[in-house]
Amino acid sequence: DGGITQSPKYLFRKEGQNVTLSCEQNLNHDAMYWYRQDPGQGLRLIYYSQIVNDFQKGDIAEGYSVSREKKESFPLTVTSAQKNPTAFYLCASSIQNRRNQPQHFGDGTRLSIL
Amino acid sequence: KNQVEQSPQSLIILEGKNCTLQCNYTVSPFSNLRWYKQDTGRGPVSLTIMTFSENTKSNGRYTATLDADTKQSSLHITASQLSDSASYICVVSVPLNFGNEKLTFGTGTRLTIIP
């Protein structure tokens, strides 16, 4: 079955530590996205990538970094500069350059602070 | 102020009953409107996508309507089942260059179905 796999499902970060969230897709989609979901708020875009080796900042990129070395993979690093990292992180992918197409989501990683 | 407002915030109904969720938006320009279902602890799953020229779209027991003039949409669930318990998120898309689009998400309506 094609889909998006996020790992780990739960992650804990210590003070001053960087952590990396994994996102892998086998849908052959060019575009991939990272969102953050907080209680009582809509999903907010952190970073997105339209093609390998290229990515753009979203609305809340500060304290985060990404890479896109392979079409299938779009890992997100939450750096120590992100002062409020506790949230539910969702990765998504879609067909590139095509409006009115759904974004397919993974099942998320819940990040908490120790 | 959120550009996509959903109501009610939460709703509890008996199994087998119908319900309607509302979405008002101020996002402009408009490319399409989407409804997603999100089970607790899972990622959202697409239910419908409607462009400005579509008034209604169905997916099984889910029927979405769109009034682009008043910038309102609704999601109607018929003969609810326990598995319908989830958050339902309204998403409005703004067109960008090169065929891309930016999504603005509502905060969702939390629906609980009780036996």
Side-chain angles (χ1 to χ4, degrees), chain A:
Chain A
D1 275 346
I4 299 180
T5 301
Q6 290 188 241
S7 62
K9 191 164 181 63
Y10 300 95
L11 188 58
F12 298 90
R13 195 191 90 169
K14 296 179 181 178
E15 290 288 337
Q17 185 181 44
N18 294 351
V19 292
T20 298
L21 285 59
S22 170
C23 177
E24 304 277 333
Q25 56 99 358
N26 60 6
L27 298 167
N28 200 32
H29 287 168
D30 285 304
M32 296 187 74
Y33 314 82
W34 274 106
Y35 293 94
R36 170 179 172 141
Q37 187 173 35
D38 294 280
Q41 295 192 43
L43 273 68
R44 293 181 289 168
L45 182 64
I46 304 172
Y47 267 99
Y48 66 100
S49 169
Q50 297 173 305
I51 197 168
V52 174
N53 292 323
D54 183 66
F55 47 83
Q56 307 295 327
K57 291 182 179 180
D59 299 321
I60 54 166
E62 185 174 352
Y64 300 97
S65 66
V66 293
S67 63
R68 187 83 188 277
E69 297 176 0
K70 298 187 301 181
K71 185 176 183 178
E72 302 79 18
S73 179
F74 191 40
L76 173 74
T77 296
V78 183
T79 75
S80 56
Q82 172 51 245
K83 297 308 179 187
N84 184 23
T86 297
F88 190 49
Y89 290 87
L90 288 159
C91 179
S93 71
S94 68
I95 297 172
Q96 175 64 330
N97 295 334
R98 197 85 63 85
R99 293 183 190 140
N100 307 326
Q101 294 294 320
Q103 286 189 9
H104 299 263
F105 286 84
D107 276 338
T109 291
R110 188 166 298 279
L111 176 62
S112 302
I113 300 301
L114 284 177

Side-chain angles (χ1 to χ4, degrees), chain B residues 81-95:
Chain B
Q81 300 176 359
L82 296 178
S83 59
D84 292 331
S85 293
S87 288
Y88 291 84
I89 304 172
C90 176
V91 186
V92 179
S93 166
V94 173

